[in-house]
Structures are given as C-alpha cells and as structure tokens.
Amino acid sequence: MKNILLLTDFSQNSINAMVYTLKLYSNELCDFYVLNVQDSLSYTSDDLMLGKANESIYESLISDNKMKLKGLVNQLKHHSNDRLHQFKPLIDYDVFIDAIKQVIEKYNINLISMGTNGASNLKESLFGSNALKVLRYIDCNTLVIPDGYEYKPPKKLLLALDNDDYADHITVREIIELLDKLGANIEIRRFISSEEDVKHKINSDKHLLLELIDENRFTYHIIKDESLSSILINSTKPEDTDIITLVGQFRGFFDRLFGKADKTKISKNLDCPLMIFHH
C-alpha cells in the first residue's frame, strides 16, 4: 500500500494534479493525505484581527479552509477507486516546509504529488514558489504535474541520468514497479559531460538495467555536451514521453537541475509530469 501526500492551495491546477495522481494509481491500494497549509509566515496582524471573538486565532485562520477541504475531498472521491482509495484531509497553520516534513514522518509518506503553479504562486517564473520549495528542501519521492496537463495512460517513461547520477537497486525497483503497473516501457538517457570513464559508466548502467529490467522494455542513449535541464525544455526529450523520471541524489540535486537552466524556457515548454526519485 502507498501513502501519498496531495498538496493543495485549492487552485484548479492543484486539483488537476490530484486528479492525475488518483488516475495514475487507480488500481493500487492507497491512502491519500490531502494537505492544505496556511503558511504562518504569510499572515499579518490584520489577518489575526479578522477572527471572531469566540474563536481561537488558529481556528479563525483555518475554519474556512476546513470547509473547502471537506468539499474538495468529496470532489476527489468521484475520480477515485472507492475499493482501493481512502482519503484523510489535513490542514495546518505552520511554515509550509515544516508542515510537510511533519506529515511525511507521521504518516510514512511514500510520494508527494503537486501541481506546478497555483493561484497564489504566480510570481514565480518556473514551477511556483511552493513547488520549488518542495523540490529544494523535501527528501521524498515527488510527482509534479504541469499546469493544465490532462491524464492519459502513460506508455513511455524517460529516465534521465546526469553525469554523476547513479540508479541504485532500490530506485530501479521503484521504477520497475511503476512500469509494471502501467504496462509501459522506458528510455534511459545518460548525460555525459566528458569522455572520462564513459565506457565504465555505460557498462555499469547496462549491467544494472539488464539485471532488473527486461531488455525488450528499455532503450539506452548517451547525450553529450547537454545539461540535464535540457530534458525540461524538450531539446533532448523524445516527443512520445509521458513521464520524465529523475534520480534526485538529495544533496546538490536542485542546483544541478536548475542552476544553469533557462527558467523562462522551462516554464513555457514543460509539457509532461516529472517524477523525482530520492534515495
């Protein structure tokens, strides 16, 4: 069984991302934790003065969103498999990242799912401020759904490996689990920055992949003189890719992925979900 955390700010984009996730895991036993965070850093004394006299400050800040969250969960149930899916609405008044870390630890979360840009995050040019915070500070497998992306059964996954990335047994088994569930194939693209140890790296990759994945279900390519971020602006992504998968060795992953990226191009061209595996 999977424990999946669905993040929402009640925007249409976050709802779309949650519906995508429900459909992706439609045939798997899952507990979905639907979390709305009222970020404590975003409130001022004026917000606190709006609370009713007979309510605590905490209750006055979250009471409206409790009702919204209850309605949202009822809406999500129409898109779920009622035999396999259960929902738990969660609301918190806290620092955004701290709230997520607490939920991950308390409920043993396996995967976080979220949209790229919510209604409250329009100032950010890439993914939206909250999505960027999750990718930068949260060490948990994460699924990110582009704005307006509609679900279709994934048939091809793309695994992009940077020059220093390695796909260990745990990560590859998680990818195989996803492939088997979807009946999909996978294309591996290894990004190489130099000729040093290229043959050793290729042999190591293929040894692991052939050990764990049927050779008829994957293809393998070397990409030279391109950054990993080129995957996100489509310059090195096959057109028939349904999900991009990345291996997020936690330390330095965010900077390697986005440090030299053209954020404007990514914002305009990102056109399929990202699934980032941490290990």
Side-chain angles (χ1 to χ4, degrees), residues 49 54 71 106 142 166 186 191 210 215 218 224 267 279:
M49 292 173 65
N54 61 346
K106 183 175 182 179
T142 304
Y166 62 92
I186 190 165
F191 286 75
L210 286 170
E215 61 181 336
F218 78 89
K224 295 183 179 180
S267 179
H279 62 86

Side-chain angles (χ1 to χ4, degrees), residues 18-33:
M18 289 186 285
V19 170
Y20 178 95
T21 307
L22 294 177
K23 292 181 178 179
L24 186 67
Y25 291 94
S26 61
N27 295 316
E28 187 161 349
L29 185 64
C30 297
D31 282 348
F32 291 100
Y33 298 84

Side-chain angles (χ1 to χ4, degrees), residues 110-255:
N110 308 117
L111 176 71
I112 302 170
S113 174
M114 65 189 308
T116 50
N117 253 331
S120 60
N121 301 320
L122 297 178
K123 293 181 179 179
E124 197 70 37
S125 63
L126 180 52
F127 282 143
S129 59
N130 284 343
L132 285 174
K133 288 176 185 176
V134 171
L135 294 178
R136 183 186 286 273
Y137 298 116
I138 300 295
D139 188 6
C140 181
N141 292 351
T142 304
L143 176 63
V144 183
I145 312 301
D147 190 9
Y149 188 86
E150 294 186 7
Y151 179 82
K152 58 181 179 180
K155 295 301 179 186
K156 182 176 179 180
L157 278 62
L158 172 66
L159 172 60
L161 297 171
D162 204 2
N163 188 64
D164 296 321
D165 285 338
Y166 62 92
D168 63 4
H169 282 71
I170 294 174
T171 303
V172 173
R173 285 196 178 99
E174 288 181 321
I175 294 172
I176 293 171
E177 177 186 329
L178 184 61
L179 290 175
D180 289 343
K181 180 172 62 65
L182 298 173
N185 294 322
I186 190 165
E187 179 171 328
I188 296 96
R189 295 209 165 191
R190 164 66 77 176
F191 286 75
I192 299 294
S193 61
S194 70
E195 295 296 327
E196 183 179 0
D197 292 331
V198 171
K199 289 184 179 179
H200 173 74
K201 193 162 295 183
I202 293 172
N203 290 336
S204 177
D205 286 345
K206 290 189 174 180
H207 176 76
L208 176 61
L209 295 167
L210 286 170
E211 178 185 343
L212 298 175
I213 304 177
D214 188 308
E215 61 181 336
N216 295 318
R217 298 187 63 185
F218 78 89
T219 56
Y220 184 91
H221 301 279
I222 295 294
I223 306 297
K224 295 183 179 180
D225 302 319
E226 290 274 4
S227 67
L228 184 66
S229 62
S230 66
I231 282 288
L232 305 183
I233 57 176
N234 297 323
S235 60
T236 57
K237 178 176 74 63
E239 291 183 0
D240 57 349
T241 301
D242 296 310
I243 299 177
I244 299 171
T245 60
L246 303 173
V247 178
Q249 277 108 1
F250 190 60
R251 179 170 295 182
F253 169 74
F254 183 93
D255 292 331

Side-chain angles (χ1 to χ4, degrees), residues 26-152:
S26 61
N27 295 316
E28 187 161 349
L29 185 64
C30 297
D31 282 348
F32 291 100
Y33 298 84
V34 187
L35 175 65
N36 173 255
V37 181
Q38 297 299 294
D39 198 321
S40 60
L41 297 179
S42 67
Y43 283 93
T44 66
S45 59
D46 290 337
D47 296 308
L48 304 181
M49 292 173 65
L50 295 176
K52 298 176 182 177
N54 61 346
E55 288 182 328
S56 69
I57 292 175
Y58 178 81
E59 287 297 326
S60 69
L61 289 173
I62 67 172
S63 58
D64 287 346
N65 281 3
K66 278 185 176 180
M67 294 301 296
K68 288 182 182 179
L69 195 58
K70 182 178 180 180
L72 177 57
V73 168
N74 288 333
Q75 179 182 344
L76 292 175
K77 287 179 179 178
H78 293 294
H79 300 278
S80 70
N81 185 332
D82 57 5
R83 295 182 301 105
L84 299 177
H85 294 169
Q86 293 191 26
F87 294 87
K88 183 176 180 62
L90 303 171
I91 195 159
D92 200 359
Y93 169 63
D94 202 345
V95 176
F96 180 70
I97 290 299
D98 290 348
I100 294 173
K101 288 181 177 179
Q102 291 163 15
V103 171
I104 290 172
E105 182 175 357
K106 183 175 182 179
Y107 297 106
N108 193 27
I109 297 298
N110 308 117
L111 176 71
I112 302 170
S113 174
M114 65 189 308
T116 50
N117 253 331
S120 60
N121 301 320
L122 297 178
K123 293 181 179 179
E124 197 70 37
S125 63
L126 180 52
F127 282 143
S129 59
N130 284 343
L132 285 174
K133 288 176 185 176
V134 171
L135 294 178
R136 183 186 286 273
Y137 298 116
I138 300 295
D139 188 6
C140 181
N141 292 351
T142 304
L143 176 63
V144 183
I145 312 301
D147 190 9
Y149 188 86
E150 294 186 7
Y151 179 82
K152 58 181 179 180

